[in-house]
Amino acid sequence: MRSVAIVGRPNVGKSALFNRLAGRRISIVHDQPGITRDRITAICRLAAVPFEITDTGGLGADPDPDFAQATQEAAATAIQGSNVLLFVVDGQDGATPLDFQLADDLRRSGRPVVLVVNKVDAPEHEHFPLDFARLGFSQTVAVSAAHGRGIGELIEVLEGFFAPDDGIDPESSAPRIAFVGRPNVGKSSLINSILKDRRAIVSEIPGTTRDALDIDYERQGRRYILCDTAGIRHRSKHDASAEVFSVMRAEAAIRSADLCVLVIDATNGVTMQDKKIAALIQKAHKAVVIALNKWDLQGPSGGSDSELLARHVAGLRERMFFLDHAPVTALSARTGANVSRLFAVIERVRQHARRRITTGELNRLLRSIIERQPPPYHGNRQFKLLYATQLAAADPRPFEPPEFLLFVNDPQLLRKSYLTFLQARLRERLDFPGLPILLSQRGRKKLS
């Protein structure tokens, strides 16, 4: 597989170049050094055959001493796993002593290196690369990641390193699983436990993860994209602009996910912020599984483990009643206990997303529900169901929620409270674990 790592010292524009090659804003771009900590991957589709690109934290400097070692380890792993290295330098700064040091380190890696002189934003800057000839690399490309200058030339250079048939299949797709939750509940630890690899940086310091980190993962022949996200906390507690962007990116990850794993700290129980995050998932109509992490830290309960879990689930259902369709699994990212069970639950949700309810069964069920509890009158008129059918998505995703179209006499007669009632009764009869049940309406055509 084609794999390209973007490396360099902090604040030279690595994340801006990554976003330019990825064709969308994935990595956070900020003038504060040390923003990128994890290694972040995406697919570049600008070449004839797509390839994987990896963004890394800044090398050789300590802008954030709490994470310096972990950031360097993540970057080193990216270098070892890549076919080609893009060594990004700042054209406006000129060659620095740290650039020379990194040049020697990258040569020792044994990987091909393309020197990318960034921030060549205008024709009058075209002399910037001359200063970097002293670094001794045979292939140099001048670019402006911010403005897109030189990107075509860079793609041509990269294509020269790969055979035509060793790229990534552009038609291949994998469900996107977003791990979301409050800071420090163990999202990154859980992903590392799944991968058996320290792919995401783990620390007890809240806010460690800043970017939404996409990781390609295969398990028992199935591909997934695991998305580690920044912990979502109350907006008033954001202590830096970079953290605000992180939370916005985590919320965007929910909207773009196929399924969300809501990670909750079992030692704390359900908090108000957990409920707010659950509400974001509900609002986005996403498939969801709840992971009770740190289950190994539960003290003596005076009963069996199953009884303790039952009490936890009951409390969770009471506090997050609007997400009562979400399967709950207790696990420990630290010990790895029951982590495999999480994927069994995810696959169960996937199987139910494929279910089709026949039109006959659906109409018999809805009519029996309405007969037992008729809808209220709206003035002297009453909502009437003509018939219903399950919609089939034109391009269904693996965790597509079931949607039922109701043909009715007048959509304005169906009050929200009765719609919620219908959804709840359908849930009781049809189940669909982990999936929201969507109801839409179409009124009877009026004769002109």
Side-chain angles (χ1 to χ4, degrees), residues 87-108:
F87 178 22
V88 183
V89 294
D90 188 330
Q92 297 186 11
D93 286 349
T96 68
L98 182 51
D99 290 327
F100 280 95
Q101 177 188 327
L102 293 179
D104 290 338
D105 292 341
L106 295 178
R107 266 190 287 268
R108 282 194 294 268

Side-chain angles (χ1 to χ4, degrees), residues 20-49:
R20 177 67 65 176
L21 294 175
R24 57 196 177 102
R25 289 180 60 86
I26 300 173
S27 281
I28 296 173
V29 177
H30 198 282
D31 57 10
Q32 174 186 329
I35 289 297
T36 301
R37 293 168 177 165
D38 296 291
R39 64 187 197 270
I40 302 162
T41 61
I43 304 302
C44 176
R45 303 183 186 277
L46 301 179
V49 179

Side-chain angles (χ1 to χ4, degrees), residues 402-414:
E403 182 175 2
F404 302 105
L405 176 61
L406 310 182
F407 291 86
V408 304
N409 59 336
D410 186 346
Q412 295 183 354
L413 297 178
L414 182 59

Side-chain angles (χ1 to χ4, degrees), residues 235-417:
R235 289 190 183 274
S236 64
K237 296 183 179 179
H238 300 162
D239 55 11
S241 60
E243 188 173 348
V244 173
F245 293 140
S246 298
V247 172
M248 291 171 62
R249 196 66 53 80
E251 293 173 353
I254 291 175
R255 295 191 294 271
S256 65
D258 294 299
L259 178 139
C260 295
V261 176
L262 175 57
V263 183
I264 293 177
D265 187 336
T267 63
N268 292 336
V270 177
T271 68
M272 183 60 68
Q273 192 62 17
D274 290 325
K275 291 179 63 176
K276 290 180 179 179
I277 297 168
L280 290 175
I281 297 171
Q282 182 204 31
K283 183 179 179 181
H285 302 306
K286 296 299 177 179
V288 60
V289 171
I290 297 175
L292 281 175
N293 191 26
K294 307 184 184 181
W295 193 249
D296 56 309
L297 300 182
Q298 292 297 303
S301 63
S304 67
D305 191 62
S306 60
E307 290 172 342
L308 176 61
L309 178 59
R311 288 198 295 271
H312 270 269
V313 172
L316 187 150
R317 297 296 190 210
E318 182 178 352
R319 300 213 64 191
M320 295 196 301
F321 58 89
F322 52 90
L323 220 61
D324 60 355
H325 57 279
V328 180
T329 183
L331 49 80
S332 169
R334 186 178 68 86
T335 68
N338 293 335
V339 170
S340 60
R341 187 180 297 173
L342 173 63
F343 277 87
V345 174
I346 288 173
E347 283 307 311
R348 178 169 166 248
V349 175
R350 187 204 292 257
Q351 290 170 7
H352 278 271
R354 296 172 179 162
R355 286 173 54 206
R356 295 284 302 170
I357 308 302
T358 66
T359 299
E361 178 186 358
L362 179 63
N363 282 273
R364 287 190 295 271
L365 178 56
L366 282 169
R367 288 195 178 100
S368 68
I369 293 171
I370 293 172
E371 286 173 2
R372 293 183 181 181
Q373 181 66 53
Y377 277 87
H378 192 277
N380 62 349
R381 301 182 66 205
Q382 188 181 34
F383 166 82
K384 290 182 180 179
L385 174 67
L386 306 178
Y387 71 97
T389 187
Q390 183 175 356
L391 294 177
D395 183 21
R397 294 291 299 168
F399 295 93
E400 195 78 38
E403 182 175 2
F404 302 105
L405 176 61
L406 310 182
F407 291 86
V408 304
N409 59 336
D410 186 346
Q412 295 183 354
L413 297 178
L414 182 59
R415 297 180 180 177
K416 185 176 180 180
S417 59

Side-chain angles (χ1 to χ4, degrees), residues 47-122:
V49 179
F51 57 88
E52 182 180 77
I53 51 175
T54 302
D55 190 15
T56 64
L59 291 169
D62 302 328
D64 194 342
D66 289 321
F67 302 102
Q69 181 178 352
T71 300
Q72 305 299 306
E73 290 176 354
T77 302
I79 291 171
Q80 293 168 10
S82 297
N83 304 116
V84 183
L85 304 179
L86 296 184
F87 178 22
V88 183
V89 294
D90 188 330
Q92 297 186 11
D93 286 349
T96 68
L98 182 51
D99 290 327
F100 280 95
Q101 177 188 327
L102 293 179
D104 290 338
D105 292 341
L106 295 178
R107 266 190 287 268
R108 282 194 294 268
S109 74
R111 302 292 191 276
V113 178
V114 177
L115 180 65
V116 180
V117 182
N118 191 27
K119 304 184 184 179
V120 183
D121 298 334

